[in-house]
Amino acid sequence: MIVTTTDSVEGKSVTQYCGIVSGEAILGANLFKDFFAGIRDVVGGRSGAYEKEFRKAKEAALADMMEDAQSLGADAVVAVDLDYEVIGGDQKTMLMVSANGTAVKLG
């Protein structure tokens, strides 16, 4: 399945709009990862633990969105938008990623 942030697929025409599709992923951050990420923030550098969690959440949200599109008989999802949110107040214990787009059939 083609998934793109653009509103069209080069060389293909949209023959049918199937509807808006979405996928969500909410992951809890491990206490030890939070602790070591906090240390990394103090001394500088990148937090590999958080980067890995972001990647896992993004992949899960996209997979859910594609599953939604497949259930509608779509060939592609266009105009995909990814939104990230940290929830949990000052504790920042949960990461939420949502993927939204338009499921289409291509000709």
Side-chain angles (χ1 to χ4, degrees):
M1 174 168 294
I2 297 170
V3 176
T4 181
T5 57
T6 62
D7 58 1
S8 62
V9 176
E10 189 173 341
K12 303 281 185 177
S13 60
V14 173
T15 60
Q16 181 181 347
Y17 291 92
C18 303
I20 296 171
V21 291
S22 63
E24 297 81 23
I26 299 176
L27 300 177
N30 180 301
L31 177 63
F32 293 110
K33 289 180 186 175
D34 283 348
F35 175 74
F36 288 117
I39 290 173
R40 175 83 54 152
D41 288 342
V42 171
V43 298
R46 293 171 57 170
S47 173
Y50 271 116
E51 289 173 357
K52 186 176 180 179
E53 291 301 312
F54 267 112
R55 195 172 307 113
K56 282 177 22 181
K58 178 186 79 169
E59 290 169 1
L62 287 169
D64 283 353
M65 183 190 67
M66 287 187 287
E67 186 177 310
D68 195 9
Q70 286 175 336
S71 73
L72 296 174
D75 302 319
V77 182
V78 297
V80 173
D81 178 55
L82 293 169
D83 292 310
Y84 298 87
E85 188 71 36
V86 177
I87 52 180
D90 290 337
Q91 300 300 316
K92 294 180 176 48
T93 57
M94 303 290 280
L95 170 66
M96 178 179 70
V97 178
S98 64
N100 301 284
T102 302
V104 297
K105 289 187 181 184
L106 301 173

